[in-house]
Amino acid sequence: MSLSTGSPLRRAFGLDPPPVDRANSTSSVTDSNKSPRINFLAQHLLNLFDEGKECDVLFQLDDGEIVGAHKLILISVEFFRRMLGGNFREGTKDEPIRLSGLTAREMRLVFRYIYTGNLEESLTHKMALRLLRLSQMWLFSNLRRSVVEWALGNLDKKTCILTFVNVSNVLLSSPEEKAMIRIPPERSVASKGARLFRAMSASSSYSRSKPALEATLDEGSQMSEYERFLKRYRSFLQTLATRDFRKAIREQANELARISDYRALEAFA
């Protein structure tokens, strides 16, 4: 049975992102079979960026490369607005701004997203999770939402646990989620971890389990961003065969230890 993007099964389980109203949206996730639509002005600005023309701010990255951009575009993001606001002296050819913890490739991907509102068609799972962490560091909510949508649209049995852990860690750490989320904190982290592994290893099929959150994620309630993610993620798990589900847990079990907020494990309780 096909699970390709746009297939009836994916639409039925809500695995594909909803259609984007481009007239009212500044951000979108590209379909793997289509090129992103960019208006004339955005395309012109992107060309200037790609060609390194008229750049008025420079950044030096960990790999030694220098990436130029346009301040007027970057300050649309709060992180860069604070960095570049006022009479900044850095960012020139003689004194580029040093940013640690990321490469030129990662920086260019973020900049191209800022310029166009689109993620790269060639985005890999590893790079998507890296961008997700950057969105957390920079409090870049548009990028975070786009990457989460991309991750949900590209879930597979080889990376589904890794995706769950990374998205959970990012979303549950945001102040908005902490205020809205209705998952009760677990009293015993060790007990929760043991319970999780027992449930996963013993379950004949995830679809037969009854997640503790089911009652709280009804259509009539106001769901947080994380709760919406959980609902779609669980729908994906239900499409996995029992052997694929167990194999995913065995091969990616070490990733579960990286969960920073154990409320996330209620998704499997």
Side-chain angles (χ1 to χ4, degrees):
M1 186 174 293
S2 173
L3 286 179
S4 60
T5 301
S7 69
L9 182 59
R10 291 180 65 88
R11 289 196 297 271
F13 281 107
L15 295 179
D16 283 332
V20 177
D21 182 357
R22 296 185 182 278
N24 299 305
S25 175
T26 58
S27 174
S28 65
V29 179
T30 65
D31 187 302
S32 59
N33 297 319
K34 297 180 181 179
S35 298
R37 295 181 180 180
I38 305 176
N39 64 40
F40 173 80
L41 178 58
Q43 185 63 62
H44 174 67
L45 293 171
L46 182 61
N47 290 341
L48 291 177
F49 168 71
D50 286 340
E51 296 168 9
K53 294 181 178 179
E54 308 299 332
C55 295
D56 56 2
V57 59
L58 301 176
F59 297 87
Q60 185 168 5
L61 293 311
D62 277 354
D63 53 12
E65 285 197 49
I66 294 179
V67 177
H70 305 87
K71 178 183 176 183
L72 186 62
I73 305 300
L74 298 188
I75 60 175
S76 63
V77 177
E78 179 67 20
F79 174 80
F80 291 105
R81 184 158 59 248
R82 293 183 179 185
M83 175 188 294
L84 303 175
N87 299 319
F88 71 100
R89 296 182 180 180
E90 292 183 312
T92 63
K93 181 178 180 181
D94 296 327
E95 192 177 3
I97 296 174
R98 294 181 179 274
L99 285 180
S100 60
L102 70 163
T103 66
R105 165 66 174 159
E106 294 165 346
M107 179 61 94
R108 288 192 179 95
L109 283 175
V110 174
F111 282 174
R112 287 178 66 86
Y113 178 82
I114 295 173
Y115 277 70
T116 68
N118 291 299
L119 294 172
E120 291 286 288
E121 291 183 72
S122 59
L123 191 67
T124 64
H125 189 272
K126 181 178 180 180
M127 185 60 73
L129 295 183
R130 175 62 179 149
L131 295 183
L132 184 64
R133 289 189 287 272
L134 286 175
S135 74
Q136 178 187 30
M137 291 168 51
W138 295 352
L139 301 179
F140 192 174
S141 58
N142 281 349
L143 177 60
R144 182 192 70 227
R145 286 190 288 267
S146 290
V147 174
V148 170
E149 283 293 331
W150 183 94
L152 283 168
N154 290 272
L155 284 170
D156 58 52
K157 58 188 178 183
K158 294 182 178 180
T159 58
C160 60
I161 302 300
L162 180 64
T163 295
F164 171 76
V165 170
N166 281 273
V167 173
S168 295
N169 285 347
V170 169
L171 293 186
L172 284 174
S173 68
S174 69
E176 298 85 358
E177 289 298 316
K178 290 180 179 179
M180 287 190 66
I181 198 74
R182 292 183 291 274
I183 308 174
E186 178 59 34
R187 295 178 181 177
S188 171
V189 168
S191 173
K192 171 61 72 175
R195 211 172 97 202
L196 168 71
F197 284 104
R198 284 199 303 272
M200 286 182 162
S201 60
S203 176
S204 59
S205 171
Y206 178 82
S207 61
R208 297 179 185 175
S209 66
K210 296 181 179 180
L213 290 179
E214 203 65 47
T216 68
L217 299 185
D218 58 272
E219 294 293 341
S221 64
Q222 182 182 9
M223 290 188 290
S224 71
E225 185 177 356
Y226 184 65
E227 289 168 336
R228 289 193 296 271
F229 163 75
L230 281 185
K231 188 172 184 179
R232 291 176 61 187
Y233 183 82
R234 287 204 306 272
S235 294
F236 164 78
L237 290 185
Q238 290 171 353
T239 69
L240 291 181
T242 302
R243 63 179 181 277
D244 291 334
F245 177 64
R246 287 180 174 176
K247 183 177 181 181
I249 295 301
R250 287 197 305 270
E251 294 180 350
Q252 304 172 58
N254 61 314
E255 294 295 337
L256 290 169
R258 297 177 50 247
I259 291 179
S260 58
D261 191 322
Y262 275 77
R263 292 179 298 170
L265 298 185
E266 287 288 349
F268 299 100

